């Protein structure tokens, strides 16, 4: 297909053009159009949700035996693997991540479908201990139509993380990808079709959240929303969920602390801190964006860190050696630049970065150099607000009690990193730090088998893990009367 043709979108299994505005997905490295499409309109939203409800009630998907649904999801995983290079290149063009990262995201998406196929097939209802003349059970039912709303930073992985458990549980799924990165959700819907997911169970609604978001989340047939994105949008959806008494999971922002103690293995810690903040160009909810280093090693550590950051390869996402690609949009880079300017105005010193890289390669893309700032305190705005870019703020610490108070002094509580050789200290700080995910002597390692989520403004609920499938099901208790006599009260 020519890149000026208008891509079809998927409305309740029908591949046709949307009825909203025509727009292009742009390659952040050059600003060129990768694909054109028309956004979903409000009419499309209605058709997708009522079609999903119809498919949920009539396709027989929810009634299939778990191993039969699992077989289809295994085929989805297999097709993702067979098309991995195509998908990784497409994801690179859609959001500008380096190819090495998009390959890993595609592999993770395949692993997610495989994992939830297994979770579906092996999930058990329970017979609960009898306390009367009843056989008592706890069973789970699918919910119906589930909405999956995703951000632009890791599309195929976030979308798989919602679609796989929702389908495994027997539901229909309406996916709303970020406006700027619509392509991976469409590819996943195509692959699900190919794998044999019944027609109508999946819809993909590209477009602006401000135009179609409320129509999706407020819709009475949408029984659950799984959202990943910014905290402000998450809170808005939480209000809607409260009014509808609808379960919701919210994976939101972060401002995660990393703590480096004097006894840390410095080579490991430097590499871990660089990876924690600068991989994905810092466009990561779990980026380790606040760094606390023991004063005794502060100067040495920061020297090595600044040298490491300056040596990172920023460039063409198609180049296998590239470590940081461009940022998602020019507007997002502007926001990062204004945070750095604010940090400097507040008295921060830039140790490295703090500007756009120079050279012909960088002229058309939204590039920004890995940036390390020091001389600020944890209460300043640059240390409290999520920047979502390659900007690290470093601070020395003297006292362990003060350190934990500063680390926890944030509205966010998504992740934390601890670098020390002392396992007792790691245990102490690992338990004391308030965060949904804690890494000890490593950072930003994720596994589909381990639950993920945040506390406070970083979110509600958990995704992933074997029990992740239960987020997409309603629990039901059943009592089977075994008494040969009528209930005594009425007799
Ligand atoms: P947004 O909250 O702006 O967008 C996320 C998604 O929500 C997009 O699809 C967006 O649509 C949509 N949306 C916007 N308004 C509404 C609405 N009223 N109703 C329903 N949906 C709506 O976040 P960003 O795109 O800026 O993503 C970055 C944020 O995501 C960061 O804060 C980051 O921390 C967080 N994030 C959290 C992760 C986690 O797991 N905790 C993982 C990755 C990111 P559109 O943009 O198309 O208009």
């Amino acid at each position: 297909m020519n890149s000026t043709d208008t891509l079809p979108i998927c409305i309740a299994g029908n591949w046709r053009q949307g009825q909203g505005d025509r727009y292009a997905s742009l390659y952040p490295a050059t600003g060129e159009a990768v694909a054109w499409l028309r956004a979903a309109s409000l009419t499309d939203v209605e058709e997708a949700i009522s079609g999903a409800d119809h498919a949920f009630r009539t396709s027989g998907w929810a009634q299939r035996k778990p191993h039969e649904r699992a077989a289809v999801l295994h085929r989805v995983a297999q097709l993702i693997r067979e098309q991995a290079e195509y998908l990784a290149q497409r994801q690179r063009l859609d959001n500008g991540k380096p190819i090495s990262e998009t390959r890993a995201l595609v592999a993770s998406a395949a692993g997610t479908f495989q994992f939830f196929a297994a979770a579906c097939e092996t999930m058990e209802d329970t017979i609960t201990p009898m306390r009367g003349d009843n056989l008592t059970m706890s069973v789970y039912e699918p919910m119906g139509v589930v909405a999956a709303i995703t951000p632009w930073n890791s599309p195929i992985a976030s979308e798989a993380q919602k679609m796989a458990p929702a389908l495994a549980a027997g539901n229909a799924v309406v996916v709303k990808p970020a406006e700027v990165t619509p392509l991976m959700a469409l590819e996943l819907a195509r692959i699900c079709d190919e794998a044999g997911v019944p027609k109508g169970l999946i819809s993909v609604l590209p477009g602006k959240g401000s135009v179609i978001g409320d129509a999706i989340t407020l819709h009475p047939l949408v029984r659950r929303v799984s959202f990943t994105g910014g905290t402000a949008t998450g809170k808005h959806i939480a209000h809607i969920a409260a009014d509808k008494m609808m379960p919701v999971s919210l994976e939101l922002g972060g401002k995660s602390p990393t703590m480096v103690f004097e006894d840390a293995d410095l080579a490991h810690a430097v590499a871990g801190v660089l990876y924690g903040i600068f991989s994905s160009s810092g466009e990561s909810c779990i980026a380790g964006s606040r760094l606390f280093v023991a004063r005794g090693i502060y100067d040495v550590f920061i020297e090595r860190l600044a040298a490491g950051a300056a040596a990172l390869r920023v460039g063409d996402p198609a180049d296998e050696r590239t470590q940081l690609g461009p940022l998602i949009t020019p507007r997002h880079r502007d926001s990062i630049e204004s945070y750095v300017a604010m940090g400097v105005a507040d008295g921060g010193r830039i140790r490295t970065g703090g500007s756009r890289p120079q050279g012909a390669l960088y002229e058309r893309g939204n590039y920004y150099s890995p940036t390390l700032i020091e001389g600020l305190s944890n209460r300043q705005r640059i240390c409290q607000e999520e920047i979502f870019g390659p900007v690290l703020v470093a601070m020395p610490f003297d006292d362990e009690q003060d350190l934990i108070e500063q680390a926890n002094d944030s509205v966010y509580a998504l992740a934390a990193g601890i670098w020390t050789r002392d396992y007792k200290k790691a245990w102490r700080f690992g338990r004391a730090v308030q965060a949904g995910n804690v890494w000890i002597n490593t950072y930003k390692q994720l596994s589909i088998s381990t639950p993920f989520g945040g506390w406070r403004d970083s979110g509600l609920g958990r995704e992933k893990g074997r029990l992740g499938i239960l987020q997409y099901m309603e629990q039901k208790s059943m009592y089977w009367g075994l008494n040969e006599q009528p209930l005594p009260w009425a007799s």
Side-chain angles (χ1 to χ4, degrees):
M1 181 182 267
N2 189 311
S3 72
T4 57
D5 293 344
T6 307
L7 281 186
I9 64 174
C10 179
I11 308 283
N14 295 315
W15 288 85
R16 62 159 175 79
Q17 288 187 11
Q19 298 173 62
D21 294 340
R22 187 166 186 267
Y23 76 100
S25 158
L26 304 177
Y27 185 30
T30 61
E32 285 162 332
V34 177
W36 284 89
L37 64 164
R38 292 181 72 115
S41 67
L42 293 175
T43 320
D44 294 330
V45 170
E46 181 54 43
E47 196 177 321
I49 295 173
S50 50
D53 178 61
H54 180 77
F56 172 72
R57 287 184 289 103
T58 59
S59 69
W61 177 250
Q63 290 71 37
R64 283 196 204 176
K65 300 281 179 286
H67 69 277
E68 294 166 346
R69 284 204 301 272
V72 176
L73 298 179
H74 276 299
R75 272 205 296 283
V76 174
Q78 186 190 339
L79 289 168
I80 294 174
R81 290 192 175 111
E82 285 170 10
Q83 301 170 31
E85 189 56 22
Y86 162 77
L87 293 169
Q89 296 292 355
R90 194 109 173 113
Q91 166 90 90
R92 167 181 68 81
L93 293 167
D94 202 26
N95 89 333
K97 280 196 175 207
I99 187 66
S100 57
E101 276 193 45
T102 61
R103 285 186 182 132
L105 290 177
V106 170
S108 132
T112 299
F113 274 94
Q114 178 183 323
F115 182 85
F116 282 109
C120 167
E121 187 162 352
T122 57
M123 192 187 128
E124 291 174 352
D125 294 324
T126 44
I127 294 186
T128 56
M130 283 172 65
R131 294 183 72 89
D133 294 330
N134 304 299
L135 173 66
T136 46
M137 297 177 166
S138 170
V139 301
Y140 292 89
E141 308 286 4
M143 293 172 152
V145 181
V146 167
I149 303 178
T150 53
W152 43 260
N153 61 335
S154 303
I156 196 169
S158 332
E159 281 138 19
Q161 221 164 284
K162 298 180 189 315
M163 291 169 76
L167 290 170
N171 300 292
V173 197
V174 172
V175 186
K176 198 219 91 55
E179 184 201 20
V180 293
T181 53
L183 301 186
M184 287 297 108
L186 291 168
E187 295 291 354
L188 282 179
R190 174 185 59 76
I191 286 173
C192 287
D193 272 6
E194 252 177 273
V197 174
K199 187 176 159 91
L201 277 188
I202 295 177
S203 288
V204 178
L205 302 172
K208 283 190 201 316
S210 55
V211 176
I212 57 170
D214 284 359
I216 299 170
T217 51
L218 283 165
H219 199 291
L221 289 173
V222 169
R223 308 289 187 203
R224 180 183 210 287
V225 173
S226 175
F227 172 80
T228 300
T231 298
T233 319
K235 286 184 177 177
H236 173 73
I237 292 173
H239 280 109
I240 291 173
D243 281 344
K244 283 176 71 181
M245 292 301 284
M246 168 180 71
V248 66
S249 60
L250 304 169
E251 304 285 356
L252 310 177
K255 193 75 192 178
S256 302
T258 299
M259 299 167 256
V260 181
F261 293 91
E262 279 202 60
D263 63 348
D265 179 322
L266 291 197
H268 283 219
V270 167
V273 171
L274 288 172
Y275 179 68
I277 178 66
F278 296 125
S279 59
S280 306
S281 299
E283 294 174 323
S284 163
C285 53
I286 49 178
S289 49
R290 288 186 295 148
L291 174 66
F292 298 94
V293 182
R295 192 173 299 275
I297 56 164
Y298 183 83
D299 289 342
V300 173
F301 192 82
I302 295 298
E303 193 70 43
R304 287 172 70 168
L305 193 65
L312 292 172
R313 293 180 295 277
V314 181
D316 179 1
D319 184 335
E320 319 235 341
R321 293 163 312 151
T322 292
Q323 290 162 297
L324 284 85
L327 299 163
I328 188 75
T329 56
R331 200 163 141 236
H332 187 53
R333 178 173 59 179
D334 291 347
S335 143
I336 289 163
E337 286 179 326
S338 56
Y339 269 112
V340 172
M342 180 200 298
V344 171
D346 285 346
R349 291 185 304 279
I350 293 180
R351 284 295 298 253
T352 186
S355 59
R356 302 176 184 191
Q358 298 301 311
L361 172 65
Y362 305 113
E363 267 160 25
R364 292 190 301 153
N366 317 316
Y367 290 96
Y368 197 74
S369 300
T371 298
L372 173 59
I373 306 183
E374 56 178 352
L376 291 164
S377 83
N378 187 56
R379 283 308 311 159
Q380 282 169 302
R381 268 184 72 190
I382 193 171
C383 296
Q384 291 290 318
E385 294 178 18
E386 186 181 43
I387 299 176
F388 220 58
V391 179
L392 175 62
V393 186
M395 293 161 276
F397 71 85
D398 297 296
D399 171 75
E400 293 192 352
Q401 184 54 35
D402 181 49
L403 167 65
I404 196 67
E405 280 168 19
Q406 290 196 68
N408 288 338
D409 181 15
S410 169
V411 292
Y412 297 111
L414 186 58
I418 296 170
W419 295 88
T420 174
R421 288 191 170 100
D422 178 346
Y423 73 91
K424 292 179 190 158
K425 187 182 285 179
W427 172 253
R428 217 164 53 241
F429 276 83
R431 297 306 301 257
V433 73
Q434 294 165 355
N437 308 275
V438 178
W439 289 289
I440 293 153
N441 294 326
T442 185
Y443 202 87
K444 221 174 160 185
Q445 304 298 305
L446 294 165
S447 151
I448 186 64
S449 57
T450 310
F452 180 83
W455 303 1
R456 303 205 289 263
D457 276 16
S458 291
L460 272 182
R462 292 291 177 273
E463 287 193 325
K464 312 209 283 190
R466 273 189 70 202
L467 300 184
I469 191 171
L470 297 184
Q471 299 259 342
Y472 295 90
M473 307 189 94
E474 290 283 12
Q475 187 273 343
K476 179 187 281 173
S477 299
M478 297 183 83
Y479 293 73
W480 298 74
L482 301 179
N483 206 322
E484 300 292 346
Q485 307 301 320
L487 288 175
W489 181 84
S491 52

